[in-house]
């Protein structure tokens, strides 16, 4: 059997711990604070020992903490803190409130007085990392749903929005119209003006379509020169009217490219009202047939099935 370690080694463990360690007595007077606790609080060891714990507690906590400790010490109430991992805050020497994680322990009696210890971790680094991770996740989610060229929603976002819209529509019984808009003769636009000019046209068309649609409608780039449209709470006739407005907004004026060329772009749109039993892809297939009719009918047109 190994001989028991001397208590001086245990003391070193606590003295050197990277967690802040604090010991208070039953009157909530600080009796010990290790170096990490001194660093965290901004007080020296001499300043902390003998000080009331209230000096370290923010606002409301300071007024009730001593009462909790007293009722527990007298055996009048259980502790909600001892033996548990809890999040609190402390106030440092400069009055700055620091979020902490605390593991408090009843460490027993010595010469008739009771003592409580706590391991305290500064939560600020963890909170900063959590905030950074949340911001990163939000950015990644945003990027995963956005078409990088035009800045509008992409095909993935369109599918997600369409599915949600159809679930809501099935519940409410409201009609949903789905559409596909396609830039006419876009290959020719690219061939005559160059690919970068084609990109400018795509961006301008996306912007004009989004601006002409209602706030409740959804416009996404779902393919090269193809845009998906969703019109919630809208019957086919009304959707045709909105689609005409969108079509006209694209055709209304030429688009100026970076090298100063003026490109006249038009779009053709195919629409269909999705029946409750249909999925988004069923609606898209029918809208594609309507788009085919619009192209065959001379382009720069809206057709619905
Ligand atoms: N500049 C640019 N062109 C693209 C992009 N994605 C697809 N295209 C082009 O879009 C063109 C699509 O051409 P087609 O499918 O033949 O159709 P269209 O010429 O528009 O003819 P219609 O649809 O029948 O009116 C192709 O030339 C593709 O190279 C893109 O991101 N940028």
């Amino acid at each position: 059997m190994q001989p028991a370690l001397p208590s001086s080694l245990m003391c070193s463990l606590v003295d050197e711990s990277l967690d802040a360690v604090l010991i208070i007595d039953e009157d909530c007077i600080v009796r010990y604070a290790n170096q990490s606790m001194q660093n965290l609080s901004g007080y020296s060891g001499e300043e902390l020992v003998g000080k009331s714990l209230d000096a370290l507690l923010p606002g409301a906590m300071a007024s009730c903490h001593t009462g909790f400790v007293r009722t527990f010490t007298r055996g009048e109430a259980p502790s909600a803190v001892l033996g548990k991992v809890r999040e609190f805050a402390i106030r440092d020497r400069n009055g700055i409130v620091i979020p902490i994680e605390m593991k408090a322990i009843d460490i027993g009696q010595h010469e008739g007085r009771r003592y409580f210890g706590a391991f305290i971790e500064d939560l600020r680094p963890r909170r900063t990392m959590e905030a950074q991770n949340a911001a990163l996740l939000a950015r990644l989610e945003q990027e995963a749903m956005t078409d990088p060229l035009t800045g509008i929603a992409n095909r993935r976002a369109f599918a997600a929005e369409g599915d949600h819209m159809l679930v809501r529509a099935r519940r409410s019984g409201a009609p949903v119209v789905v559409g596909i808009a396609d830039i006419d003769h876009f290959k020719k636009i690219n061939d005559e003006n160059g690919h970068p000019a084609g990109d400018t046209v795509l961006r301008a068309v996306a912007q004009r379509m989004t601006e002409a649609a209602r706030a409740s409608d959804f416009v996404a780039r779902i393919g090269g020169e193809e845009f998906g449209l969703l019109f919630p709470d809208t019957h086919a006739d009304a959707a045709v009217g909105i689609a005409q407005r969108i079509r006209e907004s694209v055709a209304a004026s030429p688009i100026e490219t970076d090298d100063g060329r003026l490109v006249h772009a038009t779009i053709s749109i195919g629409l269909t009202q999705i029946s409750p039993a249909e999925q988004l892809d069923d609606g898209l297939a029918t809208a594609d047939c309507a788009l085919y009719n619009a192209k065959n009918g001379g382009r720069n047109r809206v057709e619905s099935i």
Side-chain angles (χ1 to χ4, degrees):
M1 194 173 127
Q2 300 288 334
L5 293 174
S7 55
S8 61
L9 283 187
M10 311 299 172
C11 288
S12 295
L13 174 69
V14 174
D15 286 342
E16 305 300 325
S17 164
L18 293 179
D19 273 349
V21 178
L22 190 72
I23 296 176
I24 59 167
D25 63 22
E26 60 192 35
D27 293 322
C28 293
I29 302 298
V30 175
R31 302 298 300 271
Y32 170 82
N34 72 354
Q35 188 60 51
S36 294
M37 186 66 214
Q38 295 170 39
N39 297 345
L40 180 66
S41 66
Y43 290 105
S44 68
E46 292 78 46
E47 285 174 313
L48 274 177
V49 173
K51 201 183 249 325
S52 166
L53 185 65
D54 286 0
L56 288 171
L57 299 178
M61 197 61 196
S63 55
C64 56
H65 180 265
T66 306
F68 288 149
V69 174
R70 292 234 166 89
T71 48
F72 173 77
T73 308
R74 284 196 224 107
E76 292 166 3
S79 168
V81 172
L82 294 170
K84 301 190 175 77
V85 180
R86 299 289 300 269
E87 289 191 7
F88 286 112
I90 62 162
R91 192 157 45 100
D92 76 1
R93 197 174 205 280
N94 298 317
I96 294 170
V97 174
I98 302 170
I100 57 158
E101 183 180 272
M102 185 179 85
K103 291 153 226 154
I105 314 155
D106 178 355
I107 52 178
Q109 300 214 1
H110 176 65
E111 295 179 351
R113 290 178 73 72
R114 196 140 182 191
Y115 292 87
F116 303 95
F119 290 88
I120 294 168
E121 185 189 339
D122 182 351
L123 282 179
R124 286 174 299 183
R126 203 195 293 176
R127 290 273 157 84
T128 303
M129 201 189 292
E130 283 166 358
Q132 284 168 346
N133 285 346
L136 183 66
L137 190 65
R139 211 187 77 213
L140 290 176
E141 277 172 1
Q142 172 71 15
E143 281 174 10
M145 293 292 189
T146 305
D147 170 48
L149 179 71
T150 61
I152 67 170
N154 64 11
R155 189 172 193 110
R156 184 182 288 128
F158 182 77
E161 182 65 25
D163 287 344
H164 284 145
M165 221 177 253
L166 288 177
V167 168
R168 284 197 299 272
R170 271 182 214 117
R171 213 178 296 138
S172 68
V176 172
V177 171
V178 63
I180 303 176
D182 187 285
I183 303 178
D184 297 323
H185 299 306
F186 191 55
K187 184 174 181 318
K188 197 159 158 246
I189 291 176
N190 268 333
D191 291 348
E192 288 178 358
N193 304 283
H195 207 267
D199 284 353
T200 302
V201 170
L202 277 167
R203 278 192 287 266
V205 167
Q207 191 185 343
R208 289 180 186 191
M209 289 181 67
T210 309
E211 282 169 7
R214 301 168 303 183
S216 55
D217 301 331
F218 196 78
V219 181
R221 184 177 176 218
I222 59 171
E225 83 295 15
E226 220 172 50
F227 297 84
L229 302 165
L230 290 165
F231 303 105
D233 294 330
T234 310
H235 286 284
D237 290 352
V240 168
I242 301 155
Q244 288 290 15
R245 193 173 75 201
I246 292 173
R247 180 193 63 73
E248 282 162 14
S249 79
V250 173
S253 59
I255 295 161
E256 187 172 352
T257 63
D258 289 346
D259 56 2
R261 293 161 185 251
L262 294 177
V263 178
H264 290 269
T266 59
I267 54 173
S268 298
I269 302 178
L271 300 175
T272 190
Q273 188 173 321
I274 303 189
S275 72
E278 282 181 321
Q279 300 299 318
L280 182 66
D281 282 347
D282 302 322
L284 279 172
T286 310
D288 205 31
C289 293
L291 174 65
Y292 179 82
N293 293 344
K295 293 274 181 183
N296 270 352
R299 296 182 172 76
N300 192 19
R301 296 167 64 88
V302 176
E303 291 289 342
S304 88
I305 294 179

